[in-house]
Amino acid sequence: MYRCALAVAVAAGIVAPAAAQTRSFPQNTLRGTIAFAEDGTIALNGRATTLSPGSRVRDEQNMIVLPAGLVGTKRLVHYTLDIGGGQVRDVWILRPDEAAIRPWPATLEQANTWTFDPTTMTWTKP
C-alpha cells in the first residue's frame, strides 16, 4: 500500500513539472484562430485553407494530436506557414498563459516590422 502511494507521489512529481513547461515558439510564428472542418480543411482567421503535408498540430500539453480529433472546434493558436505561404505547417493550441502574451503578430507584415525578443518570447511594436 505504501509502495503504491510512493509510486503515485513520484509519478506526480515527474508529470507536474512537465505540464508546467514553457514552450518556445519560432520567430516566424503568427497568432490566429483555426476552425477544424470534417473534410480536413481548416478556416484560418475565417479564410478556408489547408494544412500542409507533414504538418504538426500540438495541443496545450505540447502533445501531437490528429486534426480529425479537433473537428468542430475553433481554437486560438500560434502557427507557421509553408515557404510559399499557402498552407499551414505547424500549429500550437495556446494555453491561457500563452494567449495572454500580447502583442503577438497576426500577419506576416506585422512580424516583419515588429521586434522579437526570443529570450522573453515577446514582441515589440515599432
Side-chain angles (χ1 to χ4, degrees):
M1 176 77 170
Y2 290 112
R3 281 189 245 165
C4 290
L6 179 61
V8 169
V10 169
I14 292 170
V15 172
Q21 74 180 356
T22 55
R23 297 192 282 185
S24 296
F25 301 105
Q27 184 171 351
N28 63 336
T29 304
L30 302 173
R31 182 174 288 179
T33 56
I34 291 182
F36 295 87
E38 286 185 26
D39 61 358
T41 62
I42 58 172
L44 174 62
N45 299 324
R47 297 179 66 185
T49 189
T50 57
L51 294 169
S52 68
S55 65
R56 293 175 297 245
V57 178
R58 295 183 179 270
D59 66 8
E60 295 89 342
Q61 289 77 38
N62 215 33
M63 301 293 292
I64 294 177
V65 295
L66 296 175
L70 300 168
V71 168
T73 65
K74 186 175 182 180
R75 306 290 180 96
L76 180 63
V77 299
H78 281 168
Y79 65 94
T80 59
L81 298 172
D82 271 345
I83 293 174
Q87 295 179 318
V88 176
R89 180 170 175 90
D90 294 305
V91 176
W92 295 266
I93 298 171
L94 297 180
R95 297 188 308 251
D97 62 315
E98 294 167 338
I101 299 172
R102 298 194 189 273
W104 200 280
T107 65
L108 289 172
E109 293 77 24
Q110 290 174 341
N112 289 331
T113 57
W114 298 4
T115 306
F116 181 68
D117 183 354
T119 57
T120 60
M121 297 297 298
T122 56
W123 287 88
T124 306
K125 292 181 184 180

